[in-house]
Amino acid sequence: MKFFSLLKKEIRELLTPTAFIGMICTLILFVVIGEAFGGIMEEVVDEASTYVICDQDKSDFSTQLIKTLTIIPESTESGKIEDIKYDIDRVKLIDIESDDYQAELKKHDVSSVLIIPKGFGDKAQKGEEVEIHNITLMSSGSMLSNISANDAAIETFKAQVKSLFYVNNGLSTDNIVKGETIVQVKDTTVIKDKSADISSSVVSSLLSTQSLFVPIVIFVLIIYCSQLIIGAISTEKIDKTFETLLSAPVTRISILSSKMLAAATIAALNAVVYMIGFSRMMNGIMGSVDDGGASSKVLEELGLTLTTSSYFLLGLQMFLTILITLAVSLILGALAKDAKSAQTLMMPITFLSMVPYMLTMFVDIRTLPIIVRLVVYAIPFTHTFIASENILFGHMNVYWAGFAYQLVLLVICLTVAVKIFTSDKILTMTLSFDKKSKAGKKKLKLFGK
Amino acid sequence: MEKVLEVTGLSKMYKKGIYAAKEVSFDVKKGEIFALIGPNGAGKTTTIRVIATLLTANEGDAIVNGHSILNEAEKVRENITYLPDEAGAYKTMTGKQYLEFMASIYTADKEKAKEFVKSGIEIAELGERINDKIGTYSRGMTRKLLLSRAVMSRPALAILDEPTSGLDILNALEIRRMIKRFASEGMSFLLSSHNMLEIEFVSDKVGIIAKGHILEVGTSAELKEKYSASNLEEVFEKVVKEANLHEELSEN
Ligand SMILES: Nc1ncnc2c1ncn2[C@@H]1O[C@H](COP(=O)(O)OP(=O)(O)OP(=O)(O)O)[C@@H](O)[C@H]1O
Ligand SMILES: [Mg+2]
């Protein structure tokens, strides 16, 4: 019985309104991410089941080959030819007239195409080696955005070219030698106006070092900065050292800005240490697969390396983000009345950085359903997480729009923070989770004039 | 004698319509120790915070050494120090570092700052412990450190909210003596307390405050005579009773 009394007390203590809010936020986080993924997955699946082919050969062989792609897999189960059904919607045939793949793909509104070059059929009939051309337009480094149907189509082609060769030459398909391939694939990845003869999945994995560690640094930086400021303000408030400072012959603005500057400096230092540490770690891991700089050459060829100006843009965005974090944290810190509430007040920052952090790792925000996209764009930190991708892949309008939005938000937050700190509110404002009120309703008490 | 602080008709509301301090008026002369006494929630801290320029007044004014809190807050702050009720200090600093930091805030002159610190260390009487982290101090030690901080820069007016709260008799006594000593050197003090007996000993003048109103101002001798009481506690009781009577009368 004694144990149960203890247990009851512990549970009651842990199940505070704050804990409930935390749970609700987590729920919302997952629902939002689920929504977002739902939308993007639909598109991915949709896109991945349509093969985009450009048939420059226009021979019977190539026509036959393409037809095999339209076979509905379930209809082949019986093994009888007459049962096989075709779905012509599975293949989209387009014409590529020039070498400007970017323009050509954009014109047809597709992100990838398989080109069957002239003479393909002739060569294949003779059993000679043939080549198909796999072209992918990459516009994002995120994981789900680079799934294309081409890989599946290529596999089908490899198998079909062989079996068609055997069938057309009256040979038994039993003689097909496994593993021997006569179809060569020439991969080309197009980014912006640049292209390289490499597959998009390789580019994607080369980028992953970058796309993995940049967001982590951003995330850590935001959380760290916020914690520093909320901690600094709340402990000063709790110990009343703040009142002492406010009564001293210094301006409130100088107190405020010294705090912000200190936090920003420490955060920046932290970021540098973090980046060095992380790149060291990655080097340690990648060291064993040293390719003599070949991968960096490819990225360079594709314009996927950060130039001085793009570093500047990234830094600018990061700086803006830190300022926003500091301003918001100043406001949150001013609301704290004890150590526990100070911890609770971290929650909004954590969630606002967690959502874009997780989303941008997997999806290209630009392809999300409009409502989800707007919600995600409304989160100021989203623009920081997508900044490097926007710069790399040339979505500069998205970058600048995000930048402008963040700037406006910063001005608003700073104004509010300064208003609070130069008025009575800094001493009279508290966020109280009134335990006496029914069902622990959240109550925001803003005293003052 | 020259007035260091002159408060006239000062009012403060936290919420519209509810006065935490209403039309408070009193003044403090040079070298005088003035104490605001009243029960919990009377409005002592509120009044003090307004005078210390932490909160803005809704009505009225307070003049510190010729500077108004309304439009010369900076100048006011150059003339005062403020010790909040139940205040702490930066726990990661040593006592000495804290004094050095605060001295550098109160003066830009390095020599002066050094003097402040030297005097602060003397006043605090913490011995070798002054070089220990404040986090390891007892409540009394912290309070002494904070008090020495409040007087080391020799402000015209030191505002101390419940300076002896939470201290034992000996420590409280020491602090009262210290306040008296600095007052005799010409420093003025504005104190608050709900310990009437202590106030009787330390202050030159008291202001009795209840429900945000100043009900009486005078020396404890004057007040004791006026209310034919033997100590300030009795005075307080009578003053508050009378005030309630007045209120009831005015309500009818
Ligand atoms: N931040 C605040 N918001 C709203 N009301 C407040 C706030 N601070 C104080 N009050 C109210 O103002 C009134 C005066 O409070 P104040 O702290 O000035 O009293 P006090 O005389 O210092 O009391 P104590 O002896 O307990 O320190 C009280 O009714 C109190 O509830
Ligand atoms: Mg008080």
Side-chain angles (χ1 to χ4, degrees), chain B:
Chain B
M1 247 215 288
E2 139 193 24
K3 281 177 190 168
V4 171
L5 172 66
E6 190 175 3
V7 184
T8 44
L10 202 68
S11 297
K12 177 68 194 172
M13 291 180 274
Y14 286 107
K15 272 185 256 179
K16 267 224 164 67
I18 304 170
Y19 283 93
K22 175 137 204 210
E23 287 162 23
V24 171
S25 300
F26 63 90
D27 46 50
V28 182
K29 297 189 180 70
K30 189 169 160 58
E32 195 174 56
I33 302 170
F34 185 97
L36 278 173
I37 57 172
N40 293 127
K44 303 183 294 292
T45 301
T46 305
T47 307
I48 280 175
R49 277 172 152 189
V50 173
I51 296 169
T53 73
L54 296 181
L55 299 179
T56 50
N58 292 106
E59 292 149 29
D61 196 359
I63 311 285
V64 180
N65 254 0
H67 305 291
S68 160
I69 56 164
L70 299 181
N71 46 30
E72 295 173 287
E74 293 280 312
K75 283 265 186 284
V76 169
R77 289 201 283 268
E78 281 171 17
N79 284 282
I80 62 163
T81 56
Y82 167 56
L83 173 59
D85 179 22
E86 287 179 351
Y90 304 101
K91 294 193 174 70
T92 52
M93 287 188 189
T94 66
K96 191 174 175 208
Q97 283 169 341
Y98 176 71
L99 293 179
E100 281 166 351
F101 165 66
M102 290 309 290
S104 71
I105 297 262
Y106 277 90
T107 177
D109 183 341
K110 275 200 177 132
E111 284 307 308
K112 243 183 175 172
K114 262 187 197 155
E115 248 172 63
F116 287 176
V117 174
K118 194 168 158 252
S119 146
I121 291 173
E122 268 172 35
I123 303 162
E125 290 184 324
L126 290 173
E128 281 302 306
R129 296 291 309 270
I130 197 78
N131 292 315
D132 287 352
K133 290 246 162 32
I134 294 172
T136 68
Y137 286 9
S138 74
R139 200 158 153 177
M141 291 167 73
T142 310
R143 201 74 185 152
K144 272 204 247 174
L145 180 73
L146 292 179
L147 264 160
S148 65
R149 186 275 301 167
V151 293
M152 71 178 182
S153 58
R154 303 295 192 275
L157 176 72
I159 304 172
L160 315 176
D161 198 356
E162 309 208 14
T164 58
S165 76
L167 297 188
D168 64 39
I169 304 172
L170 286 181
N171 273 311
L173 209 67
E174 220 176 286
I175 280 167
R176 276 180 240 150
R177 286 207 186 107
M178 189 181 92
I179 291 172
K180 269 195 158 329
R181 189 171 48 137
F182 279 96
S184 70
E185 286 173 16
M187 202 187 288
S188 304
F189 285 89
L190 170 60
L191 318 176
S192 89
S193 180
H194 39 72
N195 183 344
M196 320 270 166
L197 299 179
E198 148 179 312
I199 287 308
E200 196 171 343
F201 166 78
V202 75
S203 60
D204 301 314
K205 234 186 197 176
V206 297
I208 294 175
I209 185 169
K211 289 185 182 160
H213 295 264
I214 292 260
L215 301 175
E216 273 291 357
V217 178
T219 65
S220 49
E222 276 168 16
L223 293 177
K224 278 192 286 190
E225 205 187 294
K226 184 174 171 187
Y227 289 90
S228 50
S230 60
N231 60 39
L232 265 185
E233 255 174 20
E234 272 178 42
V235 172
F236 184 80
E237 202 183 352
K238 286 183 178 168
V239 170
V240 172
K241 258 189 197 157
E242 206 167 281
N244 281 345
L245 221 73
H246 278 309
E247 258 173 50
E248 274 164 39
L249 283 175
S250 63
E251 265 171 20
N252 289 337

Side-chain angles (χ1 to χ4, degrees), chain A residues 132-149:
Chain A
I132 51 171
H133 205 159
N134 177 18
I135 294 161
T136 312
L137 182 67
M138 231 180 136
S139 65
S140 163
S142 64
M143 294 182 195
L144 290 183
S145 61
N146 290 310
I147 296 174
S148 90

